[in-house]
């Protein structure tokens, strides 16, 4: 007499007969079951996936097998026992396809999470979509996918070899950045405004983390003030989980030399403890110099400056300017339909002769403006902003302004009357009071300036 | 590499000036704009927008603005896209989010996308007002010509021709 088939076999047969992709992972996040429909959807034999661990990340720099299993990993909340819906990505498909999925946590006898069953939409209805279509904004998983894509793009954008130039100063900065990216120590990035300090911080962060789940949280020290900084840093320091993922990444304190003095000691103590994030900071001045002059806390300066990266002023690396200008121009080309080839010699000479007080930011601003101005194919000297063409000496001489007094005064009067009327919500009596006029005089001026016929009958709509 | 933007009022100096600054409030009801205008209107232009397109268009003329955006969970994911655009295209723009407590879990992500402050219930103007005043104080006066100088001193800037701006109307 044949032995009756076990319920496990029957369940397996049933699951294999359905068109709906189903898989399960155990408490150690290993794939323990995957049905035929799921294997077919993924385009991978089930045997290759069984026993593989899935980890919740979206790194692109791993083997394709790991990318596939990572994409199958349920969100951390489901692993922790919360039933939820979300998106699952078939990373092996080309293009990648995501489908709606339901995550059903399984509990062990002790009530602890024992695994997750995942039921993926069969793709027949509206559940399947190619990546790139607008996702459902209410789903946290959509957010996670978008975040993954954005981080991946950023990881490509912020690379050390994109810190262009061959001058000794930028070569040294690149070397320092490489060193910083290989460690977890605090980094202080010093440079003048506009020199690309934030860009450098992002480069180090993305060089260190790639597109993995790691946050980069900037805090603007000069803008937030003591109260907001204190609460933000305290909140970050007290949590071991950020937005459903382990708290890891970088806290970037911008303009830390402008940090309110009353926070120095407190921040120093906070960052020396078990602060979960790496700390980077930007500053215009060296902190040790501020310490010497008694304007900065010694301990905080030491905590922040384990490794110092110097961002050079643009004027100090003019040899790089042609390359940087070309890179900026090609950025502009990539942003729109207008395509320019480069710069005339005369234009480059003008750019090289300028003193660039606003550094890289100003260079990009100038190239953006010149790109708009130029007819092409080259940016000519005449396309450059006036201050670049005339240089710092010429810029001091301001162009003579001429006006036609009567017209100008009329424009001012019209503007003031219109503003007063708006402020008075059309109430002419109130507008007249705001302008210090009598009501009849306001009517007369309205008529004379062609703003209204000024007849008292007209004001009934506005009068209250 | 980095991106920057053209500061219309900064032709003779590097970096944004007060002429490039204003508050741009992106919300549905007008609640925040009304109150911010009441406490800051005499000092700072407060503009209201109702769509992302309108917001981005406004930033063309105010590239050092503080954007106050009212966010809910449904708008969260879409907001990452335009926050990224602002971050790349207008590096001097600062974004503040006002949201319900339910969105607190996403505060770190929003900060990663350039949000400098996250205000949750109870609704309080105090922090937004402080941020706006501090930002205004940190920016230099633009080097204006005679016409712009006179115009910049006219009263009631929030009712100005150019949508809440105290600049002369275009010829």
């Amino acid at each position: 007499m044949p032995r009756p088939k076990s319920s496990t076999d029957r369940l397996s047969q049933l699951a294999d007969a359905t068109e709906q992709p189903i898989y399960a992972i155990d408490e150690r996040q290993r794939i323990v079951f995957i049905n035929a429909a799921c294997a077919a959807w993924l385009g991978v034999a089930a045997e290759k996936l069984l026993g593989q661990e899935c980890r919740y990340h979206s790194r692109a720099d791993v083997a394709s097998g790991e990318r596939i299993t990572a994409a199958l990993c349920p969100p951390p909340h489901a692993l922790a026992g919360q039933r939820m819906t979300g998106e699952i990505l078939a990373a092996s498909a080309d293009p990648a396809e995501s489908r709606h999925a339901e995550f059903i946590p399984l509990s062990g006898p002790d009530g602890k999470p024992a695994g997750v069953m995942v039921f993926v939409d069969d793709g027949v209805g509206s559940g399947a979509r190619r990546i790139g279509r607008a996702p459902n904004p209410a789903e946290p998983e959509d957010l996670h996918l978008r975040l993954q894509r954005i981080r991946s793009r950023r990881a490509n954008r912020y690379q050390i070899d994109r810190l262009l130039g061959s001058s000794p100063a930028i070569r040294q900065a690149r070397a320092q950045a490489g060193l910083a990216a290989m460690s977890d120590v605090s980094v202080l990035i010093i440079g003048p405004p506009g020199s690309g300090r934030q860009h450098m911080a992002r480069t180090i962060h993305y060089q260190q983390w790639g597109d993995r789940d790691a946050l980069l949280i900037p805090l603007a020290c000069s803008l937030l003030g003591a109260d907001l900084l204190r609460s933000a840093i305290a909140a970050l320091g007290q949590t071991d989980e950020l937005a459903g993922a382990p708290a890891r990444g970088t806290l970037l304190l911008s303009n830390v030399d402008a940090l309110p003095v009353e926070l120095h000691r407190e921040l120093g103590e906070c960052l020396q403890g078990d602060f979960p994030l790496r700390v980077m900071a930007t500053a215009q001045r060296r902190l040790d110099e501020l310490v010497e002059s008694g304007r900065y806390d010694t301990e905080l300066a030491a905590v922040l400056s384990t490794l110092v990266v110097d961002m050079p002023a643009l004027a100090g690396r003019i040899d790089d300017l042609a390359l940087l200008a070309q890179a900026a121009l090609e950025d502009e080309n990539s942003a729109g339909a207008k395509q320019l080839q480069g710069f005339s010699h005369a234009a480059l000479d003008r750019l090289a002769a300028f003193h660039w007080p606003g550094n890289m930011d100003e260079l990009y601003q100038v190239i953006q403006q010149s790109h708009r101005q130029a007819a092409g194919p080259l940016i000519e000297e005449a396309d450059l902003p006036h201050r670049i063409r005339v240089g710092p000496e010429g810029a001091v001489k301001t162009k003579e302004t001429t006006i036609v007094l009567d017209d100008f005064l009329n424009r001012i009067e019209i503007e003031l009357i219109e503003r007063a009327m708006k402020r008075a919500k059309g109430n002419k009596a109130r507008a007249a009071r705001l302008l210090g006029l009598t009501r009849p005089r306001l009517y007369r001026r309205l008529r004379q300036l062609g703003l209204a016929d000024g007849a008292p009958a007209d004001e009934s709509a506005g009068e209250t | 590499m980095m991106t920057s933007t053209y500061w219309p009022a900064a032709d003779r100096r590097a970096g944004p000036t007060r002429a490039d600054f204003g508050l741009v409030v992106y919300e549905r009801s007008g609640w925040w704009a009304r109150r911010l205008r009441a406490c800051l209107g005499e000092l700072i232009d407060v503009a209201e927008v109702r769509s992302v397109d309108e917001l981005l268009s406004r930033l063309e003329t105010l590239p050092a603005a503080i954007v106050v955006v009212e966010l809910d969970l449904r708008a969260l994911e879409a907001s990452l896209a335009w926050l990224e655009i602002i971050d790349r295209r207008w590096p001097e723009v600062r974004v503040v989010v006002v949201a319900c407590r339910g969105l607190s879990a996403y505060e770190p992500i929003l900060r990663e996308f350039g949000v400098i402050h996250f205000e949750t219930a109870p609704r309080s103007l105090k922090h937004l007002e402080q941020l706006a005043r501090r930002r205004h104080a940190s920016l230099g006066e633009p080097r204006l010509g005679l016409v712009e100088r006179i115009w910049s001193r006219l009263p009631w800037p929030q009712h100005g021709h150019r949508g809440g701006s105290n600049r002369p109307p275009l010829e």
Side-chain angles (χ1 to χ4, degrees), chain A residues 113-136:
Chain A
V116 179
M117 286 288 294
V118 185
F119 294 86
V120 185
D121 273 4
D122 58 11
V124 174
S126 58
R129 63 163 188 255
R130 300 289 172 192
I131 293 301
R133 283 177 52 187
N136 177 357

Side-chain angles (χ1 to χ4, degrees), chain A residues 406-439:
Chain A
D406 286 343
D407 291 349
F408 184 72
L409 291 177
N410 273 349
R411 277 174 56 200
I412 296 268
E413 189 176 0
I414 289 169
E415 175 77 13
L416 287 175
I417 290 174
E418 286 181 347
R419 287 187 187 193
M421 290 293 286
K422 278 188 201 166
R423 190 168 180 87
K425 296 188 170 68
N427 183 323
K428 286 175 185 148
R430 201 174 144 225
R433 278 198 300 278
L434 286 170
L435 292 162
L437 301 175
T438 61
R439 216 156 45 142

Side-chain angles (χ1 to χ4, degrees), chain A residues 369-433:
Chain A
Q369 195 180 353
S370 308
H371 193 277
R372 283 183 194 169
Q373 188 71 23
L378 297 178
I379 289 182
E380 303 288 348
E381 186 181 359
D383 301 323
L384 300 174
H386 179 258
R387 72 180 191 281
I388 308 292
R389 291 200 308 274
V390 300
E393 297 80 20
V396 174
K397 297 176 195 162
T398 52
K399 206 172 122 189
E400 198 70 57
T401 305
T402 56
I403 58 169
V404 177
L405 184 61
D406 286 343
D407 291 349
F408 184 72
L409 291 177
N410 273 349
R411 277 174 56 200
I412 296 268
E413 189 176 0
I414 289 169
E415 175 77 13
L416 287 175
I417 290 174
E418 286 181 347
R419 287 187 187 193
M421 290 293 286
K422 278 188 201 166
R423 190 168 180 87
K425 296 188 170 68
N427 183 323
K428 286 175 185 148
R430 201 174 144 225
R433 278 198 300 278

Side-chain angles (χ1 to χ4, degrees), chain A residues 233-313:
Chain A
I233 291 169
L236 291 170
Q238 284 165 6
T239 181
D240 55 0
E241 190 185 81
L242 292 174
R248 61 183 187 179
T250 306
L251 170 67
L252 175 59
L253 298 166
S254 303
N255 295 316
V256 78
D257 46 347
L259 186 79
V261 176
E262 61 265 37
L263 271 185
H264 284 192
R265 191 165 294 276
E266 197 178 327
L267 181 61
E269 286 166 7
C270 171
L271 298 182
Q272 281 187 79
D274 295 328
F275 196 73
L277 303 173
R278 180 193 197 163
V279 179
M280 282 197 244
T282 66
Q284 202 172 328
R285 296 160 291 181
R286 299 191 78 89
L287 298 186
D288 49 4
E289 288 170 7
L290 294 175
V291 168
E292 276 176 27
S293 59
R295 286 180 289 164
Y296 217 83
D297 182 75
T298 312
E299 277 187 26
L300 178 60
V303 167
L304 294 172
S305 330
T306 308
L307 208 154
V308 176
V309 177
D310 290 297
M311 289 303 288

